[in-house]
Amino acid sequence: MSDRSPVKYLSEEDAKVLATYFGDDKVKVDWKDEFEKSLFWFYDDLHCPNPISPLYFDVGGWWGPPCEYMYRRFGAPIGSEWIGKKIGGYVYTAVVPPRTDPDKVQGLFDYYTKVMPIYADTFYDRWINSYVPELKAAGNYIVNYSRENKGIPELLIHMEDCLDLQERALRIHWIINLAQFQASTEFTNMCKEIFGEVDNDLIGKINVSRQDKNWDSLKALWEIKQYICSVPDLKTLFIESPVENIIAKVGKIQGGDKLLKMIADYQEEYGYKAVYTHEYIYKTWKEDPTPIFEALRGYIINDYDYYKDYNTCIQTQEAAIKELYSRTKNARELEKLKKSLELCIKMAPLTPDHHFYIDQGIYARMRIMFLNIGKAYVNAGILNDPEDIFMLEYNEIRCAGVSNYPVKELVKKRREEMETAKAIKPREWYGTATVWSVYKEPYKTLWGYPQKFEAEMAEKANKAYIIDEKVIKGIPGSPGVAEGVARFVESPAQFDEIQNGEVLVCKMTNPAWVICFPKISALVTDTGGALSHPAVVSREFGIPCVVGTRRATQLIKTGMRVRVDGNTGTVEVIG
């Protein structure tokens, strides 16, 4: 068996093949070799649900070297590489099983179990004192580079520096991720050790963040809303006018200058994000404040109360902690439980904060850096539009200045390819599903596995996974039951259509969607697992959430009345 075989170091049971799918006539899969075909490639709708840009896929992916670094650094017995592949224009990724010689397995496992608790125990302080300052400095360097009197060669050297900073940021990302995973796992295991079972609903209410950049951004927006409401003419403008009219008129109203300054400050602090976090092609709030105005208008119409949501989250968490502690009378067990719980809560802010500083912040700033190169190429006649830079790959950007290099032809061809890909409904997975890849590899839970795989297999076996089109099964994301009118949203351009108390139905949420949560009564997504963004944020806002339904957006239309049961993971169309 080849050394590249993904199952070389797996047991016979873990290497057992559950299913295979290598493509059909509709979507051509370019398999490089048998090694690629032997992996389980799953659609990355969690990060990149749309056709991916050539530049992002070439140099922007969260997979690849940063993930290989994570597995090496921690000696993690949960994988060796995490690689990406483009299929039908969409991102698919696969985790390569551990490649550890049998004589080193026990030693590396012992190493992992010794160092991970230390990472978990000390990481938050390292994050605050070391990594956050480093990431802020990197972000400032990327966007504050002076282009005055600089030619294209200087801009390309700056690009190389920024790519180095991006990779460093992603390395930090994966150190965070595994350290937090360890803290959460230890808390869950402690509950299982003490109580014999895990109360996922109770743990979900406990494992929320008390202070992070999500809460900070919502509070800052609420403070702007409060100012608008204190100026009658501004309040009337926001209530009675569409957003485009608000933007056109706000500067002419008394108090408007101060409002515009507040929004500019908000953009500087919280505007380095776009509708889809993991891409370069989408405009940021820093470039276009329209989403900020839309959010403010919604806050005013619905009279959003930041402190009501925040205090409810904290009170729910405190009640859940009290309930958990009351379940044991053993002083020694209680002490161990408190230690693991407090560490888990201490690490909770890292989920939204690493999104803010890395997934949003670094990528948004990289977009701006690449746009500056695009502008220089437009001035030199190399490109027609600065945005065309994202249709090129890394080496094509570096070769673009060469005489007769077909840059504009490449851009046209790539745009056509991305447009064609939009008509494709991405399949959930390709390749080979093994026991290890579906059940043993831990990160797949973020995408809703193994439940999604089991649902597909049950349907193929003609078993009733979906009772009918009125009862949709998914994964419990946040406990509780709510009924309401459904609002199907495809993109943030529709955020202002969401009415107070509606049930948001969408493919997936990311941090840019947080501004919707104060308005909705429940959330239903096609993808994700119990630790994905929609589930985590729903628990913070105390609303029911069902994730990983796979087809809610196909079966639920705006205006339908639905019942969302976040306890059982079911969504029922009731009217």
Side-chain angles (χ1 to χ4, degrees), residues 16 77 123 171 255 300 361 380 421 467 485 501 522 541 571:
K16 181 180 177 182
F123 190 84
R171 285 189 169 202
I300 292 165
I467 299 171
V485 175
F541 278 85
V571 183

Side-chain angles (χ1 to χ4, degrees), residues 201-503:
D201 289 347
L202 201 61
I203 287 180
K205 293 174 181 177
I206 291 169
N207 195 11
V208 297
S209 172
R210 291 170 171 260
Q211 184 63 53
D212 57 55
K213 299 304 285 188
N214 269 356
W215 285 120
D216 292 347
S217 66
L218 289 171
K219 183 181 178 184
L221 208 59
W222 173 81
E223 288 171 344
I224 299 174
K225 169 251 183 185
Q226 292 295 94
Y227 169 71
I228 295 170
C229 291
S230 73
V231 181
D233 287 348
L234 284 176
K235 183 177 180 181
T236 300
L237 177 66
F238 272 80
I239 291 175
E240 296 182 354
S241 303
V243 169
E244 58 268 24
N245 288 354
I246 295 172
I247 294 173
K249 296 178 180 179
V250 67
K252 303 171 185 177
I253 294 178
Q254 186 174 4
D257 288 343
K258 179 178 178 181
L259 173 59
L260 290 175
K261 174 64 166 57
M262 294 174 76
I263 290 174
D265 290 344
Y266 184 88
Q267 284 179 280
E268 185 60 36
E269 180 66 20
Y270 302 106
Y272 288 99
K273 61 183 175 185
V275 49
Y276 293 107
T277 301
H278 291 270
E279 247 292 9
Y280 297 137
I281 61 176
Y282 300 105
K283 276 191 176 182
T284 66
W285 292 19
K286 175 67 175 172
E287 299 166 85
D288 179 6
T290 300
I292 301 173
F293 281 92
E294 289 172 343
L296 287 169
R297 186 170 185 271
Y299 279 20
I300 292 165
I301 291 172
N302 295 296
D303 194 22
Y304 171 56
D305 185 345
Y306 164 80
Y307 283 104
K308 180 182 176 182
D309 276 345
Y310 180 74
N311 291 335
T312 297
C313 173
I314 301 306
Q315 289 163 9
T316 301
Q317 183 191 53
E318 289 174 349
I321 292 172
K322 184 177 180 181
E323 166 64 21
L324 186 68
Y325 287 166
S326 73
R327 295 183 181 184
T328 179
K329 305 301 180 185
N330 184 298
R332 185 171 176 276
E333 287 183 345
L334 182 60
E335 182 181 351
K336 290 167 62 180
L337 182 62
K338 284 183 176 180
K339 182 178 178 181
S340 64
L341 181 148
E342 288 168 0
L343 177 58
C344 187
I345 292 176
K346 183 180 180 181
M347 297 283 277
L350 294 181
T351 296
D353 283 358
H354 90 263
H355 275 292
F356 179 82
Y357 288 106
I358 302 173
D359 304 56
Q360 295 178 76
I362 292 297
Y363 279 115
R365 289 171 171 85
M366 291 293 288
R367 166 184 162 78
I368 292 170
M369 179 275 297
F370 281 122
L371 272 180
N372 288 334
I373 298 175
K375 292 173 183 176
Y377 279 12
V378 169
N379 291 336
I382 298 171
L383 295 175
N384 293 325
D385 186 318
E387 298 277 350
D388 289 345
I389 196 77
F390 304 115
M391 297 300 108
L392 302 176
E393 296 176 353
Y394 168 63
N395 276 326
E396 291 167 351
I397 291 174
R398 302 203 298 179
C399 295
V402 175
S403 177
N404 298 322
Y405 195 79
V407 180
K408 293 180 180 179
E409 290 83 354
L410 280 172
V411 169
K412 184 175 183 292
K413 176 174 177 286
R414 301 276 170 70
R415 288 200 182 281
E416 290 172 350
E417 289 172 349
M418 288 187 70
E419 197 61 33
T420 299
K422 289 179 181 178
I424 298 172
K425 184 181 184 304
R427 203 188 127 77
E428 293 290 350
W429 62 274
Y430 287 87
T432 302
T434 63
V435 169
W436 182 85
S437 64
V438 174
Y439 291 99
K440 302 293 183 69
E441 193 284 311
Y443 273 114
K444 210 81 84 279
T445 57
L446 289 172
W447 282 262
Y449 289 92
Q451 293 94 331
K452 286 166 71 171
F453 179 81
E454 291 172 346
E456 180 183 329
M457 293 301 105
E459 288 170 2
K460 286 186 176 179
N462 295 318
K463 295 178 183 178
Y465 182 74
I466 293 181
I467 299 171
D468 55 41
E469 291 192 353
K470 291 183 179 286
V471 180
I472 305 163
K473 290 188 176 181
I475 301 167
S478 177
V481 179
E483 292 184 11
V485 175
R487 174 67 63 176
F488 172 41
V489 173
E490 292 187 89
S491 79
Q494 298 170 287
F495 282 176
D496 61 338
E497 298 175 7
I498 302 171
Q499 302 300 306
N500 204 35
E502 288 186 328
V503 174

